[in-house]
Amino acid sequence: MDRLRIVGGGRLQGTVTIAGAKNAALPQIAAALLSPHPLELTNLPQVSDVDNMLSVARLYGARVERNAHSTTIDAGDIVSREVSYDTVRRMRATVLFLGPLLARFGEARVSLPGGCAIGARPVDMHIDALATLGAEIVIENGLIVASARGGLKGARILLGAPSVGATETALMAATMAVGETEIVNAAREPEVADLAACLTAMGAEIEGAGTHRILVQGPTGWQPAKHHGIADRVEAGTYAVAAAITGGELELTNARIENLAAVIQVLEIMGASVRPSNRGLVVARGGPLRAADIVTEPYPGFPTDLQAQFMTLACCAAGTSHIRETIFENRFMHVPELVRLGADIALQGTAATVRGGAALKGAQVMATDLRASVSLVLAALAAEGETIINRVYHLDRGYEQIDSKLAQCGAEIERLRD
Ligand code: EPZ
């Protein structure tokens, strides 16, 4: 397994090209299976989660042509077949194929995703949304078995919480439900709005995506389509922390300020400056880092996917920061590893108290989940001496060429291939 060797202490200066959003790409690959016509997706990030999602699409019989700048998915001849637990176990997002397959074929069998490092992550709201549209769903032998012999019918779906995945499942299924579907308490994440934009390009009739209330008219008359996905706001926020934690200055091209309002607010409280540029935005930090209090919330609140990265920044800021994780029940896997680097962090349930200011010192650390892993990279950039990060495959799931992007900005980083 690859490892990363980082020697900290340098200031990062330069430009980082922000890739397409992983969490926009994954549902759009699933959405391609709704239509018998080709869907061309440009701006897919070169990350392993996208590779895996495309390989599952192929398992259903989709033809996938991929090059550096565009991927075409032709689902003209797919069949609805079961995808193994082993496949779904490795990537939860494959549950997003459930809605499209049920909507298109009237039946679908997708393995119930297990939990993952950050929590149980059930899919009850996905299942309830499909049942509201008229599907019959049973769980047997670890499989979600869904059927809708008479087809799906438009309905009012009230989500118990603004779940991103459940909103996406409801949205995709509703495109083939007869009549109007109203999704209430929908997730407002930019990736949901981007999925709606992709479905609209394919021929769907959707209004209100990006708000708490989405209306869909079905069934959809599909057409060949092309869609350019949004840039990854989590990658952008991660590199913004890299600039702030090293006291440097980075231009993040393709990043969109309007998707990062809550993040920029905290960056400025902590002593960084953020300004728009004609290619994206510039993040810099010249003065001292200051502590901040953070509570993760559904969009437009502070994103849970940047909690670990900002906790690392807080470790280097004078003063005490209080961080509360409200979305997942176990998203502090980075804490023991940060403590190994010299951080002073105390946990009480889903709250963390970070006493910042002590210098971090390099050590051997272990990556655990995608965002915890990148917080270790950020800590290593600020730590004195050498840090070795093991199990780098976690990083490759969601960050495109992170070692070369950081090296180009002056980081002393190399990938050690086993
Ligand atoms: C999406 O996961 C993202 N993944 C996550 O990013 C992100 O952290 C999360 O949204 C929140 O923003 C993708 O888009 C592929 P949720 P998702 O449904 O859809 C509970 C990353 O690092 N819940 O909004 O799974 C769930 O357990 C990943 O890129 C139910 O209880 O998130 C969680 O506690 C990590 N029942 C909370 O809701 C359900 O049916 C939010 O989950 C669905 C969710």
Side-chain angles (χ1 to χ4, degrees):
M1 281 184 254
D2 289 2
R3 291 171 297 152
L4 284 181
R5 176 182 172 275
I6 298 171
V7 177
R11 292 178 174 210
L12 297 190
Q13 306 271 356
T15 298
V16 176
T17 300
I18 300 302
K22 164 181 82 82
N23 291 348
L26 299 179
Q28 288 168 27
I29 293 167
L33 270 54
L34 280 161
S35 166
H37 301 296
L39 170 63
E40 183 183 1
L41 295 172
T42 52
N43 205 27
L44 288 189
Q46 309 279 338
V47 295
S48 58
D49 269 9
V50 168
D51 296 340
N52 290 335
M53 199 75 172
L54 289 171
S55 59
V56 177
R58 288 192 188 92
L59 283 179
Y60 287 115
R63 283 186 295 281
V64 177
E65 282 172 42
R66 190 169 194 201
N67 63 41
H69 305 291
S70 131
T71 298
T72 298
I73 304 169
D74 182 344
D77 304 325
I78 64 167
V79 291
S80 178
R81 63 165 66 103
E82 180 184 324
V83 170
S84 73
Y85 171 64
D86 187 48
T87 303
V88 174
R89 177 176 60 81
R90 274 178 294 125
M91 194 172 67
R92 296 179 36 77
T94 45
V95 77
L96 291 171
F97 284 111
L98 176 66
L101 291 169
L102 174 67
R104 182 162 174 192
F105 296 107
E107 62 168 358
R109 301 162 65 87
V110 175
S111 180
L112 199 58
C116 68
I118 61 179
R121 297 182 75 185
V123 288
D124 54 309
M125 288 189 267
H126 297 243
I127 291 170
D128 293 349
L130 296 176
T132 305
L133 294 174
E136 281 154 39
I137 298 174
V138 294
I139 308 290
E140 56 187 34
N141 310 325
L143 273 181
I144 304 169
V145 181
S147 66
R149 293 281 168 243
L152 298 174
K153 291 175 185 50
R156 184 173 189 272
I157 296 170
L158 174 58
L159 293 176
S163 152
V164 172
T167 302
E168 292 166 346
T169 287
L171 182 55
M172 291 188 285
T175 60
M176 290 306 281
V178 177
E180 179 171 275
T181 294
E182 181 188 18
I183 305 170
V184 182
N185 198 19
R188 296 165 60 185
E189 273 70 2
E191 293 76 25
V192 172
D194 198 45
L195 171 62
C198 178
L199 289 165
T200 302
M202 294 165 67
E205 278 185 64
I206 300 168
E207 57 183 283
T211 73
H212 270 319
R213 180 172 175 269
I214 303 175
L215 287 179
V216 186
Q217 308 303 329
T220 298
W222 301 108
Q223 60 195 17
K226 181 173 180 180
H227 178 69
H228 189 84
I230 55 171
D232 195 318
R233 61 194 169 97
V234 178
E235 186 190 21
T238 302
Y239 284 101
V241 170
I245 207 168
T246 61
E249 175 166 320
L250 292 178
E251 180 179 29
L252 310 179
T253 60
N254 303 329
R256 289 162 58 173
I257 279 195
E258 64 271 19
N259 289 348
L260 288 160
V263 175
I264 290 168
Q265 188 180 26
V266 174
L267 278 169
E268 290 173 341
I269 290 169
M270 296 185 80
S273 68
V274 182
R275 65 179 190 277
S277 73
N278 55 19
R279 295 191 299 177
L281 57 91
V282 176
V283 183
R285 196 259 300 175
L289 278 173
R290 299 186 291 266
D293 292 343
I294 295 171
V295 179
T296 64
E297 293 174 316
Y299 193 88
F302 189 91
T304 174
D305 291 348
L306 282 167
Q307 177 257 109
Q309 297 90 319
F310 273 77
M311 184 183 288
T312 304
L313 187 58
C315 293
C316 303
T320 298
S321 299
H322 300 92
I323 297 174
R324 199 151 60 81
E325 172 57 59
T326 70
I327 306 295
F328 291 106
E329 65 266 30
N330 182 30
R331 204 166 197 179
F332 286 144
M333 307 279 280
H334 43 289
V335 171
E337 299 306 311
L338 289 174
V339 168
R340 281 179 53 75
L341 296 172
D344 178 350
I345 305 169
L347 293 181
Q348 300 89 22
T350 58
T353 301
V354 182
R355 289 179 186 77
L360 298 179
K361 294 201 174 19
Q364 282 250 20
V365 287
M366 183 74 74
T368 52
D369 64 85
L370 172 56
R371 308 305 177 181
S373 313
V374 87
S375 72
L376 301 179
V377 172
L378 297 168
L381 291 171
E384 289 164 24
E386 178 183 90
T387 298
I388 301 289
I389 300 174
N390 295 292
R391 295 188 182 173
V392 172
Y393 62 85
H394 287 292
L395 270 175
D396 295 334
R397 293 190 52 174
Y399 287 95
E400 193 182 80
Q401 298 157 359
I402 187 166
D403 37 336
S404 52
K405 285 188 178 181
L406 286 172
Q408 282 163 19
C409 299
E412 194 175 336
I413 181 171
E414 63 174 321
R415 182 179 287 253
L416 309 174
R417 294 191 190 282
D418 280 358

